[in-house]
Amino acid sequence: MGDNGKSTLSIRDNRTGRDYEIDVLDGDIVRAMDLRQIKVHDGDFGMMAYDPAYMNTASTRSTITYIDGGKGILRYRGYPIEQLAERSSHLEVAYLLLKGELPTQSELDTFVHDVTFHTYVHENVTKLFDAFRYDAHAMGMMISAVAALSTFYPEAKYIDDPAIRWIQIVRLLAKMPTLAAFAYRHHRGLPYVYPENELSYTGNFLNMLYRIGTSDFKPNPVLERALDVLFILHADHEQNCSTTTMRVIGSSHADPFSALAGSMAALYGPLHGGANEAVLRMLSRIGSVDNIPGFLEKVKSREERLMGFGHRVYKAYDPRASIIKRTADEVFEVTGRNPLLDIALELERIALNEEYFIERNLYPNVDFYSGIIYQAMGFPVELFPVLFAIPRTVGWLAQWEEMLLDGEQKIARPRQVYEGSAERDFVPVDARG
Ligand code: CMC
Protein backbone atom coordinates (compact mmCIF):
# COMPACT_ATOMS: atom_id res chain seq x y z
CA MET A 1 0.00 0.00 0.00
CA GLY A 2 1.43 3.38 -0.99
CA ASP A 3 1.38 6.53 1.21
CA ASN A 4 -1.71 7.61 -0.71
CA GLY A 5 -3.56 4.47 0.37
CA LYS A 6 -3.51 3.00 -3.12
CA SER A 7 -2.32 -0.46 -3.99
CA THR A 8 -2.69 -0.59 -7.75
CA LEU A 9 -0.56 -0.10 -10.83
CA SER A 10 -1.76 2.09 -13.71
CA ILE A 11 -0.69 0.97 -17.16
CA ARG A 12 -1.19 2.99 -20.31
CA ASP A 13 -0.91 1.00 -23.52
CA ASN A 14 0.50 3.56 -25.94
CA ARG A 15 -0.41 1.32 -28.86
CA THR A 16 -4.10 1.84 -28.16
CA GLY A 17 -4.23 4.74 -25.70
CA ARG A 18 -6.17 2.49 -23.28
CA ASP A 19 -5.57 2.65 -19.52
CA TYR A 20 -5.60 -0.31 -17.15
CA GLU A 21 -5.42 -0.52 -13.37
CA ILE A 22 -4.13 -3.74 -11.89
CA ASP A 23 -3.78 -4.77 -8.25
CA VAL A 24 -0.41 -4.69 -6.53
CA LEU A 25 -0.43 -7.52 -3.99
CA ASP A 26 1.57 -7.81 -0.76
CA GLY A 27 5.26 -8.17 -1.50
CA ASP A 28 5.21 -5.73 -4.47
CA ILE A 29 3.87 -8.32 -6.85
CA VAL A 30 1.45 -8.15 -9.73
CA ARG A 31 -0.27 -11.16 -11.21
CA ALA A 32 1.11 -11.90 -14.67
CA MET A 33 -2.42 -13.03 -15.62
CA ASP A 34 -3.66 -9.47 -15.02
CA LEU A 35 -1.63 -8.45 -18.07
CA ARG A 36 -3.66 -10.76 -20.28
CA GLN A 37 -6.50 -8.22 -20.53
CA ILE A 38 -4.15 -5.83 -22.36
CA LYS A 39 -4.86 -6.30 -26.06
CA VAL A 40 -4.68 -4.30 -29.27
CA HIS A 41 -7.57 -6.17 -30.91
CA ASP A 42 -10.35 -8.10 -29.21
CA GLY A 43 -9.20 -11.41 -30.72
CA ASP A 44 -5.59 -11.03 -29.52
CA PHE A 45 -4.14 -13.49 -27.03
CA GLY A 46 -3.24 -10.65 -24.66
CA MET A 47 -0.02 -9.45 -23.08
CA MET A 48 2.41 -11.85 -21.39
CA ALA A 49 5.43 -11.32 -19.17
CA TYR A 50 8.66 -12.45 -20.88
CA ASP A 51 11.18 -13.66 -18.31
CA PRO A 52 13.84 -16.12 -19.48
CA ALA A 53 15.51 -17.91 -16.55
CA TYR A 54 12.78 -16.52 -14.21
CA MET A 55 14.95 -13.57 -13.29
CA ASN A 56 11.99 -11.61 -11.92
CA THR A 57 9.12 -14.04 -11.61
CA ALA A 58 7.74 -15.43 -8.34
CA SER A 59 6.45 -18.90 -9.15
CA THR A 60 4.92 -19.52 -5.74
CA ARG A 61 4.13 -18.22 -2.30
CA SER A 62 6.14 -20.08 0.30
CA THR A 63 6.53 -20.15 4.09
CA ILE A 64 9.63 -22.33 4.17
CA THR A 65 12.82 -20.37 3.51
CA TYR A 66 13.51 -16.64 3.56
CA ILE A 67 16.52 -15.12 1.82
CA ASP A 68 17.51 -11.48 1.67
CA GLY A 69 20.28 -11.65 -0.92
CA GLY A 70 21.32 -8.03 -0.47
CA LYS A 71 21.84 -8.39 3.28
CA GLY A 72 23.13 -11.98 3.25
CA ILE A 73 20.21 -13.33 5.34
CA LEU A 74 19.01 -16.94 5.26
CA ARG A 75 16.26 -18.25 7.55
CA TYR A 76 14.38 -21.55 7.67
CA ARG A 77 10.80 -21.04 8.90
CA GLY A 78 11.99 -17.77 10.44
CA TYR A 79 14.99 -19.17 12.32
CA PRO A 80 18.38 -17.65 11.31
CA ILE A 81 20.70 -20.18 9.67
CA GLU A 82 23.48 -19.17 12.08
CA GLN A 83 21.41 -20.26 15.12
CA LEU A 84 20.33 -23.50 13.50
CA ALA A 85 23.90 -24.36 12.48
CA GLU A 86 25.12 -23.63 16.00
CA ARG A 87 22.37 -25.24 18.07
CA SER A 88 20.34 -27.69 16.03
CA SER A 89 20.84 -30.97 14.19
CA HIS A 90 20.08 -31.88 10.61
CA LEU A 91 17.12 -34.09 11.50
CA GLU A 92 15.67 -31.44 13.81
CA VAL A 93 16.01 -28.91 10.99
CA ALA A 94 14.44 -31.43 8.61
CA TYR A 95 11.43 -31.69 10.92
CA LEU A 96 11.25 -27.90 11.09
CA LEU A 97 11.32 -27.54 7.32
CA LEU A 98 8.69 -30.22 6.80
CA LYS A 99 6.30 -29.33 9.63
CA GLY A 100 6.85 -25.61 10.02
CA GLU A 101 7.72 -25.72 13.73
CA LEU A 102 10.58 -27.07 15.81
CA PRO A 103 9.65 -30.47 17.27
CA THR A 104 9.01 -31.20 20.95
CA GLN A 105 11.43 -33.74 22.42
CA SER A 106 8.99 -36.62 21.87
CA GLU A 107 8.18 -35.49 18.32
CA LEU A 108 11.91 -35.34 17.59
CA ASP A 109 12.51 -38.76 19.13
CA THR A 110 9.76 -40.31 17.02
CA PHE A 111 11.01 -38.62 13.87
CA VAL A 112 14.63 -39.66 14.44
CA HIS A 113 13.47 -43.20 15.23
CA ASP A 114 11.37 -43.38 12.04
CA VAL A 115 14.16 -42.07 9.82
CA THR A 116 16.67 -44.40 11.49
CA PHE A 117 14.46 -47.46 10.97
CA HIS A 118 13.90 -46.81 7.27
CA THR A 119 17.55 -46.65 6.26
CA TYR A 120 17.68 -50.11 4.69
CA VAL A 121 17.01 -50.46 0.97
CA HIS A 122 15.60 -53.49 -0.80
CA GLU A 123 18.43 -55.93 -1.52
CA ASN A 124 17.72 -55.67 -5.26
CA VAL A 125 18.97 -52.07 -5.11
CA THR A 126 22.48 -53.41 -4.50
CA LYS A 127 22.16 -55.30 -7.79
CA LEU A 128 21.30 -52.04 -9.49
CA PHE A 129 24.57 -50.57 -8.23
CA ASP A 130 26.43 -53.70 -9.28
CA ALA A 131 25.28 -53.09 -12.85
CA PHE A 132 27.19 -49.82 -13.10
CA ARG A 133 30.76 -49.63 -14.35
CA TYR A 134 33.39 -49.26 -11.63
CA ASP A 135 34.05 -45.63 -12.65
CA ALA A 136 30.40 -44.53 -12.92
CA HIS A 137 29.87 -41.06 -11.43
CA ALA A 138 28.19 -41.30 -8.03
CA MET A 139 25.56 -38.75 -8.99
CA GLY A 140 24.51 -40.75 -12.07
CA MET A 141 24.15 -43.84 -9.89
CA MET A 142 22.19 -41.91 -7.27
CA ILE A 143 19.77 -40.40 -9.76
CA SER A 144 19.07 -43.85 -11.17
CA ALA A 145 18.73 -45.43 -7.73
CA VAL A 146 16.29 -42.80 -6.48
CA ALA A 147 14.18 -43.14 -9.63
CA ALA A 148 14.28 -46.93 -9.17
CA LEU A 149 12.91 -46.60 -5.62
CA SER A 150 9.56 -45.56 -7.09
CA THR A 151 9.24 -49.09 -8.47
CA PHE A 152 9.72 -50.54 -4.97
CA TYR A 153 7.03 -48.28 -3.49
CA PRO A 154 4.29 -48.07 -6.14
CA GLU A 155 1.83 -46.62 -3.60
CA ALA A 156 3.97 -43.45 -3.66
CA LYS A 157 1.90 -42.28 -6.62
CA TYR A 158 -1.08 -41.66 -4.30
CA ILE A 159 0.19 -38.19 -3.59
CA ASP A 160 -3.16 -36.93 -2.25
CA ASP A 161 -2.95 -39.17 0.81
CA PRO A 162 -1.05 -37.36 3.62
CA ALA A 163 -0.01 -40.61 5.36
CA ILE A 164 1.36 -42.06 2.12
CA ARG A 165 3.18 -38.80 1.40
CA TRP A 166 4.73 -38.82 4.87
CA ILE A 167 6.08 -42.36 4.66
CA GLN A 168 7.76 -41.59 1.31
CA ILE A 169 9.31 -38.48 2.87
CA VAL A 170 10.68 -40.55 5.76
CA ARG A 171 11.91 -43.22 3.36
CA LEU A 172 13.72 -40.73 1.16
CA LEU A 173 15.41 -38.95 4.08
CA ALA A 174 16.43 -42.31 5.52
CA LYS A 175 17.64 -44.02 2.37
CA MET A 176 19.61 -41.21 0.70
CA PRO A 177 22.74 -41.74 2.87
CA THR A 178 22.50 -45.50 2.29
CA LEU A 179 22.30 -45.05 -1.48
CA ALA A 180 25.15 -42.55 -1.42
CA ALA A 181 27.34 -44.89 0.61
CA PHE A 182 26.53 -47.80 -1.71
CA ALA A 183 27.47 -45.67 -4.72
CA TYR A 184 30.79 -44.86 -3.07
CA ARG A 185 31.52 -48.46 -2.07
CA HIS A 186 30.70 -49.66 -5.57
CA HIS A 187 33.13 -47.11 -6.99
CA ARG A 188 35.82 -48.37 -4.62
CA GLY A 189 35.06 -52.03 -5.21
CA LEU A 190 34.28 -52.46 -1.52
CA PRO A 191 31.46 -54.54 -0.02
CA TYR A 192 28.40 -52.57 1.04
CA VAL A 193 28.15 -51.72 4.73
CA TYR A 194 24.57 -51.81 5.99
CA PRO A 195 23.02 -49.13 8.22
CA GLU A 196 23.42 -49.32 11.99
CA ASN A 197 20.53 -48.03 14.03
CA GLU A 198 22.43 -46.86 17.10
CA LEU A 199 24.44 -44.32 15.09
CA SER A 200 23.41 -40.74 14.30
CA TYR A 201 22.29 -39.69 10.80
CA THR A 202 25.76 -38.52 9.79
CA GLY A 203 27.57 -41.07 11.98
CA ASN A 204 25.73 -43.87 10.21
CA PHE A 205 26.60 -42.36 6.84
CA LEU A 206 30.31 -42.13 7.72
CA ASN A 207 30.20 -45.69 9.01
CA MET A 208 28.65 -47.01 5.79
CA LEU A 209 31.25 -45.12 3.76
CA TYR A 210 34.44 -45.85 5.62
CA ARG A 211 34.17 -48.96 7.79
CA ILE A 212 36.57 -51.61 6.53
CA GLY A 213 37.60 -54.81 8.26
CA THR A 214 36.47 -53.90 11.77
CA SER A 215 33.17 -54.04 13.59
CA ASP A 216 33.98 -51.22 16.01
CA PHE A 217 34.55 -48.33 13.60
CA LYS A 218 33.65 -45.09 15.42
CA PRO A 219 33.05 -42.00 13.32
CA ASN A 220 35.09 -39.06 14.62
CA PRO A 221 32.58 -36.91 16.59
CA VAL A 222 34.06 -33.65 15.28
CA LEU A 223 33.67 -34.79 11.68
CA GLU A 224 30.24 -36.23 12.42
CA ARG A 225 29.10 -32.87 13.79
CA ALA A 226 30.82 -30.88 11.00
CA LEU A 227 28.98 -32.95 8.41
CA ASP A 228 25.73 -32.39 10.28
CA VAL A 229 26.35 -28.62 10.18
CA LEU A 230 27.08 -28.81 6.44
CA PHE A 231 23.83 -30.74 6.02
CA ILE A 232 21.91 -28.03 7.91
CA LEU A 233 23.40 -25.36 5.65
CA HIS A 234 22.35 -27.25 2.52
CA ALA A 235 18.86 -28.27 3.66
CA ASP A 236 16.89 -25.71 1.67
CA HIS A 237 17.41 -22.61 -0.43
CA GLU A 238 13.95 -21.69 -1.71
CA GLN A 239 13.20 -21.62 -5.45
CA ASN A 240 16.57 -22.53 -6.97
CA CYS A 241 17.00 -24.61 -10.13
CA SER A 242 16.63 -28.07 -8.54
CA THR A 243 13.79 -27.07 -6.20
CA THR A 244 11.92 -25.52 -9.09
CA THR A 245 12.49 -28.79 -10.96
CA MET A 246 11.00 -30.69 -8.01
CA ARG A 247 7.94 -28.46 -8.03
CA VAL A 248 7.58 -28.61 -11.81
CA ILE A 249 7.80 -32.40 -11.98
CA GLY A 250 5.65 -32.74 -8.86
CA SER A 251 3.03 -30.47 -10.42
CA SER A 252 2.25 -33.24 -12.91
CA HIS A 253 1.49 -35.41 -9.83
CA ALA A 254 4.44 -37.73 -10.45
CA ASP A 255 5.49 -39.71 -7.38
CA PRO A 256 8.13 -38.08 -5.14
CA PHE A 257 10.90 -40.56 -6.03
CA SER A 258 10.62 -39.73 -9.73
CA ALA A 259 10.37 -36.01 -9.02
CA LEU A 260 13.37 -36.13 -6.71
CA ALA A 261 15.46 -37.94 -9.31
CA GLY A 262 14.71 -34.98 -11.60
CA SER A 263 15.77 -32.47 -8.95
CA MET A 264 19.00 -34.37 -8.48
CA ALA A 265 19.66 -34.18 -12.20
CA ALA A 266 19.18 -30.40 -12.01
CA LEU A 267 21.51 -30.23 -9.02
CA TYR A 268 24.20 -32.18 -10.85
CA GLY A 269 25.08 -29.31 -13.21
CA PRO A 270 28.29 -27.33 -12.53
CA LEU A 271 26.38 -24.06 -12.18
CA HIS A 272 24.36 -25.52 -9.30
CA GLY A 273 25.30 -28.42 -7.00
CA GLY A 274 28.17 -29.48 -9.21
CA ALA A 275 29.94 -26.24 -8.32
CA ASN A 276 31.79 -27.59 -5.27
CA GLU A 277 33.32 -30.29 -7.44
CA ALA A 278 34.19 -27.65 -10.03
CA VAL A 279 35.75 -25.44 -7.31
CA LEU A 280 38.06 -28.20 -6.20
CA ARG A 281 39.14 -29.00 -9.74
CA MET A 282 39.70 -25.27 -10.30
CA LEU A 283 41.83 -24.91 -7.14
CA SER A 284 43.88 -27.97 -8.10
CA ARG A 285 44.38 -26.54 -11.58
CA ILE A 286 45.55 -23.19 -10.18
CA GLY A 287 47.99 -25.26 -8.12
CA SER A 288 49.75 -22.49 -6.22
CA VAL A 289 49.16 -19.03 -4.81
CA ASP A 290 51.56 -17.58 -7.41
CA ASN A 291 49.26 -18.58 -10.24
CA ILE A 292 46.21 -16.73 -8.84
CA PRO A 293 46.73 -13.35 -10.56
CA GLY A 294 47.11 -15.04 -13.95
CA PHE A 295 43.98 -17.12 -13.32
CA LEU A 296 41.93 -14.06 -12.32
CA GLU A 297 43.02 -12.30 -15.50
CA LYS A 298 41.49 -15.18 -17.44
CA VAL A 299 38.29 -14.88 -15.40
CA LYS A 300 38.07 -11.20 -16.26
CA SER A 301 38.62 -11.89 -19.94
CA ARG A 302 35.91 -14.59 -19.69
CA GLU A 303 38.18 -17.49 -20.55
CA GLU A 304 37.51 -18.87 -17.07
CA ARG A 305 34.73 -18.65 -14.47
CA LEU A 306 35.58 -18.29 -10.81
CA MET A 307 33.65 -21.29 -9.53
CA GLY A 308 32.17 -20.91 -6.05
CA PHE A 309 31.69 -17.20 -6.58
CA GLY A 310 28.51 -15.35 -7.44
CA HIS A 311 24.88 -16.20 -6.85
CA ARG A 312 21.58 -15.41 -8.50
CA VAL A 313 20.13 -14.22 -5.19
CA TYR A 314 23.03 -13.28 -2.90
CA LYS A 315 24.64 -10.02 -3.82
CA ALA A 316 26.50 -10.05 -0.48
CA TYR A 317 28.58 -12.68 1.30
CA ASP A 318 26.63 -15.95 1.33
CA PRO A 319 25.94 -16.53 5.07
CA ARG A 320 26.47 -20.26 4.55
CA ALA A 321 30.00 -19.60 3.27
CA SER A 322 30.90 -17.74 6.51
CA ILE A 323 29.70 -20.67 8.65
CA ILE A 324 31.51 -23.18 6.44
CA LYS A 325 34.74 -21.21 6.76
CA ARG A 326 34.50 -21.56 10.56
CA THR A 327 33.60 -25.26 10.32
CA ALA A 328 36.69 -25.76 8.15
CA ASP A 329 38.94 -24.76 11.06
CA GLU A 330 37.37 -27.42 13.31
CA VAL A 331 37.69 -30.09 10.61
CA PHE A 332 41.31 -29.25 9.83
CA GLU A 333 42.21 -29.66 13.53
CA VAL A 334 41.29 -33.32 13.07
CA THR A 335 42.30 -34.00 9.49
CA GLY A 336 45.23 -31.64 9.04
CA ARG A 337 45.07 -28.58 6.83
CA ASN A 338 44.03 -29.02 3.21
CA PRO A 339 46.72 -27.23 1.15
CA LEU A 340 44.03 -26.02 -1.26
CA LEU A 341 42.69 -23.83 1.56
CA ASP A 342 45.61 -21.41 1.18
CA ILE A 343 44.84 -21.01 -2.51
CA ALA A 344 41.13 -20.49 -1.76
CA LEU A 345 41.77 -17.90 0.97
CA GLU A 346 44.16 -15.95 -1.23
CA LEU A 347 41.83 -16.21 -4.22
CA GLU A 348 39.01 -14.79 -2.10
CA ARG A 349 41.21 -12.02 -0.70
CA ILE A 350 42.38 -10.86 -4.12
CA ALA A 351 39.01 -11.26 -5.82
CA LEU A 352 37.15 -9.27 -3.16
CA ASN A 353 39.48 -6.35 -3.88
CA GLU A 354 39.24 -6.50 -7.67
CA GLU A 355 36.98 -4.08 -9.51
CA TYR A 356 35.49 -6.85 -11.73
CA PHE A 357 34.08 -8.73 -8.71
CA ILE A 358 33.17 -5.67 -6.66
CA GLU A 359 31.03 -4.03 -9.34
CA ARG A 360 29.21 -7.32 -10.04
CA ASN A 361 28.68 -8.10 -6.32
CA LEU A 362 30.44 -11.44 -6.65
CA TYR A 363 31.20 -13.05 -3.28
CA PRO A 364 32.02 -16.62 -2.22
CA ASN A 365 28.95 -18.84 -2.18
CA VAL A 366 28.29 -22.02 -0.20
CA ASP A 367 30.36 -24.12 -2.56
CA PHE A 368 33.57 -22.16 -2.36
CA TYR A 369 34.79 -23.79 0.85
CA SER A 370 32.59 -26.88 1.18
CA GLY A 371 34.63 -28.96 -1.29
CA ILE A 372 37.85 -28.25 0.60
CA ILE A 373 36.28 -29.60 3.79
CA TYR A 374 34.82 -32.60 2.02
CA GLN A 375 38.20 -33.43 0.53
CA ALA A 376 39.90 -33.15 3.92
CA MET A 377 37.27 -35.51 5.34
CA GLY A 378 38.23 -38.09 2.72
CA PHE A 379 35.29 -37.76 0.34
CA PRO A 380 36.23 -38.25 -3.31
CA VAL A 381 35.34 -35.36 -5.61
CA GLU A 382 32.66 -37.40 -7.39
CA LEU A 383 30.74 -37.62 -4.13
CA PHE A 384 30.53 -33.84 -3.63
CA PRO A 385 27.24 -33.22 -5.46
CA VAL A 386 25.83 -36.23 -3.62
CA LEU A 387 26.81 -34.57 -0.34
CA PHE A 388 24.66 -31.65 -1.47
CA ALA A 389 21.77 -33.86 -2.58
CA ILE A 390 21.48 -35.79 0.71
CA PRO A 391 20.63 -32.77 2.88
CA ARG A 392 18.72 -30.95 0.12
CA THR A 393 16.35 -33.91 -0.08
CA VAL A 394 14.36 -32.48 2.82
CA GLY A 395 14.12 -29.07 1.17
CA TRP A 396 12.89 -30.62 -2.06
CA LEU A 397 10.30 -32.65 -0.18
CA ALA A 398 9.07 -29.75 1.95
CA GLN A 399 8.70 -27.62 -1.18
CA TRP A 400 7.03 -30.49 -3.05
CA GLU A 401 4.42 -30.94 -0.34
CA GLU A 402 3.85 -27.20 -0.03
CA MET A 403 3.23 -27.08 -3.79
CA LEU A 404 0.74 -29.96 -3.64
CA LEU A 405 -1.22 -28.31 -0.83
CA ASP A 406 -1.24 -24.88 -2.48
CA GLY A 407 -4.68 -24.25 -3.99
CA GLU A 408 -3.23 -21.72 -6.43
CA GLN A 409 -0.85 -24.22 -8.06
CA LYS A 410 -1.60 -26.24 -11.16
CA ILE A 411 0.53 -28.22 -13.56
CA ALA A 412 3.48 -25.98 -14.44
CA ARG A 413 3.35 -24.84 -18.01
CA PRO A 414 5.15 -21.67 -19.12
CA ARG A 415 4.30 -19.83 -22.32
CA GLN A 416 6.70 -19.16 -25.16
CA VAL A 417 7.19 -16.50 -27.78
CA TYR A 418 7.22 -18.40 -31.05
CA GLU A 419 9.76 -17.00 -33.51
CA GLY A 420 10.05 -19.89 -35.96
CA SER A 421 8.82 -20.20 -39.56
CA ALA A 422 5.31 -19.26 -40.57
CA GLU A 423 3.22 -22.10 -42.01
CA ARG A 424 4.84 -23.74 -45.03
CA ASP A 425 4.25 -26.89 -47.07
CA PHE A 426 6.19 -30.11 -46.58
CA VAL A 427 8.90 -30.66 -49.22
CA PRO A 428 9.69 -34.29 -50.25
CA VAL A 429 13.32 -35.23 -49.59
CA ASP A 430 14.29 -35.46 -53.29
CA ALA A 431 12.98 -31.93 -53.89
CA ARG A 432 15.00 -30.29 -51.07
CA GLY A 433 17.99 -28.11 -51.90
N1 CMC B 1 33.05 -15.80 -12.27
C1 CMC B 1 33.18 -14.76 -13.12
N2 CMC B 1 32.19 -13.94 -13.48
C2 CMC B 1 30.99 -14.17 -12.95
C3 CMC B 1 30.75 -15.23 -12.06
C4 CMC B 1 31.83 -16.05 -11.72
N3 CMC B 1 31.66 -17.07 -10.88
N4 CMC B 1 29.44 -15.22 -11.70
C5 CMC B 1 28.89 -14.20 -12.34
N5 CMC B 1 29.82 -13.55 -13.10
C6 CMC B 1 29.61 -12.35 -13.92
C7 CMC B 1 28.86 -12.70 -15.19
O1 CMC B 1 29.74 -13.01 -16.25
C8 CMC B 1 28.11 -11.42 -15.42
O2 CMC B 1 29.00 -10.46 -15.95
P1 CMC B 1 28.50 -9.41 -17.08
O3 CMC B 1 27.40 -8.62 -16.43
O4 CMC B 1 29.70 -8.62 -17.39
O5 CMC B 1 28.01 -10.25 -18.21
C9 CMC B 1 27.75 -10.92 -14.02
O6 CMC B 1 28.76 -11.49 -13.18
C10 CMC B 1 26.40 -11.38 -13.56
O7 CMC B 1 26.36 -12.77 -13.56
P2 CMC B 1 25.18 -13.66 -14.13
O8 CMC B 1 25.76 -14.79 -14.94
O9 CMC B 1 24.15 -12.78 -14.77
O10 CMC B 1 24.58 -14.21 -12.79
P3 CMC B 1 23.52 -15.35 -12.67
O11 CMC B 1 22.63 -14.96 -11.58
O12 CMC B 1 22.90 -15.69 -13.99
O13 CMC B 1 24.43 -16.60 -12.29
C11 CMC B 1 25.61 -18.19 -11.03
C12 CMC B 1 24.58 -17.06 -10.98
C13 CMC B 1 25.68 -18.83 -9.64
C14 CMC B 1 25.17 -19.25 -12.03
C15 CMC B 1 26.98 -17.57 -11.43
O14 CMC B 1 27.38 -16.59 -10.50
C16 CMC B 1 28.04 -18.66 -11.59
O15 CMC B 1 28.15 -19.26 -12.65
N6 CMC B 1 28.86 -18.89 -10.51
C17 CMC B 1 29.84 -19.96 -10.57
C18 CMC B 1 29.15 -21.29 -10.31
C19 CMC B 1 28.81 -21.46 -8.87
O16 CMC B 1 29.60 -21.20 -7.98
N7 CMC B 1 27.58 -21.96 -8.62
C20 CMC B 1 27.11 -22.28 -7.27
C21 CMC B 1 25.98 -21.42 -6.86
S1 CMC B 1 25.63 -21.54 -5.10
C22 CMC B 1 25.10 -23.16 -4.89
C23 CMC B 1 23.79 -23.41 -5.46
O17 CMC B 1 22.79 -22.81 -5.01
O18 CMC B 1 23.69 -24.22 -6.38
Side-chain angles (χ1 to χ4, degrees):
M1 181 91 57
D3 293 342
N4 60 2
K6 285 197 166 177
S7 184
T8 59
L9 186 71
S10 296
I11 301 175
R12 161 154 295 191
D13 187 344
N14 293 320
R15 300 170 303 172
T16 58
R18 277 190 221 136
D19 291 315
Y20 301 85
E21 190 164 347
I22 61 175
D23 290 333
V24 176
L25 312 179
D26 280 350
D28 287 344
I29 51 173
V30 292
R31 287 182 182 279
M33 279 303 284
D34 282 349
L35 299 177
R36 191 68 75 74
Q37 60 185 304
I38 303 174
K39 301 177 179 182
V40 175
H41 306 106
D42 283 349
D44 287 352
F45 181 77
M47 189 170 279
M48 290 189 288
Y50 176 60
D51 189 14
Y54 311 110
M55 297 287 287
N56 196 36
T57 294
S59 60
T60 187
R61 296 168 187 277
S62 181
T63 61
I64 300 173
T65 291
Y66 173 77
I67 301 176
D68 183 329
K71 296 196 182 116
I73 293 173
L74 170 60
R75 296 181 200 136
Y76 298 157
R77 302 282 190 187
Y79 294 102
I81 191 69
E82 292 80 3
Q83 291 183 25
L84 294 171
E86 171 99 26
R87 299 169 61 182
S88 190
S89 66
H90 178 61
L91 286 186
E92 189 178 46
V93 166
Y95 186 98
L96 170 69
L97 287 166
L98 290 163
K99 301 274 195 179
E101 297 297 335
L102 286 167
T104 62
Q105 187 63 55
S106 78
E107 286 168 340
L108 181 61
D109 291 346
T110 305
F111 183 59
V112 171
H113 173 275
D114 290 351
V115 170
T116 306
F117 279 77
H118 281 91
T119 45
Y120 270 65
V121 291
H122 192 288
E123 197 58 18
N124 284 4
V125 175
T126 60
K127 306 210 168 49
L128 182 72
F129 281 107
D130 290 345
F132 285 100
R133 284 174 56 125
Y134 72 95
D135 58 352
H137 196 288
M139 200 66 169
M141 290 192 268
M142 285 291 285
I143 293 168
S144 311
V146 169
L149 284 186
S150 76
T151 67
F152 291 90
Y153 305 108
E155 77 276 16
K157 64 173 175 281
Y158 300 117
I159 47 113
D160 291 328
D161 183 321
I164 290 183
R165 276 203 307 272
W166 182 249
I167 185 66
Q168 314 319 321
I169 288 172
V170 169
R171 281 178 175 146
L172 271 160
L173 296 179
K175 294 180 200 310
M176 284 293 279
T178 312
L179 297 178
F182 283 10
Y184 170 81
R185 304 282 294 201
H186 172 76
H187 183 65
R188 290 285 149 116
L190 291 166
Y192 305 121
V193 172
Y194 289 82
E196 293 209 4
N197 291 351
E198 67 278 6
L199 295 173
S200 72
Y201 192 70
T202 49
N204 183 42
F205 180 45
L206 291 170
N207 183 55
M208 290 187 289
L209 286 171
Y210 295 136
R211 198 181 77 201
I212 301 174
T214 167
S215 55
D216 61 355
F217 172 89
K218 285 269 169 295
N220 183 298
V222 175
L223 303 186
E224 191 177 340
R225 173 63 190 156
L227 193 57
D228 207 54
V229 170
L230 285 157
F231 279 8
I232 293 171
L233 300 182
H234 284 89
D236 192 51
H237 214 232
E238 50 116 311
Q239 308 313 315
N240 52 75
C241 176
S242 57
T243 302
T244 300
T245 305
M246 183 81 192
R247 282 176 172 264
V248 170
I249 301 178
S251 79
S252 77
H253 291 184
D255 70 83
F257 298 100
S258 305
L260 206 119
S263 324
M264 289 183 71
L267 187 75
Y268 193 5
L271 297 188
H272 191 8
N276 51 15
E277 178 174 345
V279 169
L280 215 76
R281 294 194 194 285
M282 173 191 77
L283 294 174
S284 305
R285 230 165 5 100
I286 295 174
S288 105
V289 169
D290 300 339
N291 297 331
I292 292 175
F295 177 78
L296 287 179
E297 282 313 309
K298 286 191 181 161
V299 172
K300 287 187 270 180
S301 62
R302 293 170 196 275
E303 287 166 68
E304 295 273 8
R305 183 156 277 246
L306 181 49
M307 300 311 288
F309 257 64
H311 200 276
R312 173 63 57 81
V313 178
Y314 292 119
K315 301 303 168 195
Y317 212 101
D318 182 336
R320 301 168 300 173
S322 320
I323 300 168
I324 288 187
K325 233 170 138 179
R326 284 199 298 278
T327 307
D329 293 335
E330 291 158 23
V331 169
F332 294 151
E333 291 227 342
V334 176
T335 62
R337 196 176 164 86
N338 185 335
L340 294 181
L341 180 67
D342 295 321
I343 301 177
L345 287 169
E346 185 63 4
L347 200 51
E348 177 189 334
R349 192 189 65 75
I350 300 180
L352 292 184
N353 288 296
E354 290 251 359
E355 200 52 38
Y356 176 94
F357 299 94
I358 295 170
E359 67 190 20
R360 289 173 178 78
N361 293 317
L362 299 173
Y363 293 88
N365 60 47
V366 68
D367 287 321
F368 194 64
Y369 288 104
S370 62
I372 301 175
I373 303 187
Y374 291 148
Q375 193 183 52
M377 289 172 79
F379 296 115
V381 170
E382 290 74 21
L383 215 60
F384 290 5
V386 174
L387 295 167
F388 195 152
I390 294 171
R392 183 55 58 85
T393 295
V394 68
W396 289 328
L397 292 167
Q399 301 270 354
W400 166 72
E401 193 164 50
E402 187 179 65
M403 179 274 304
L404 289 176
L405 299 177
D406 181 344
E408 280 196 310
Q409 294 292 339
K410 291 165 172 277
I411 186 167
R413 204 323 183 170
R415 295 279 173 181
Q416 65 163 8
V417 181
Y418 177 71
E419 292 186 337
S421 302
E423 184 180 0
R424 49 186 174 161
D425 287 327
F426 179 78
V427 181
V429 69
D430 54 0
R432 290 174 210 160

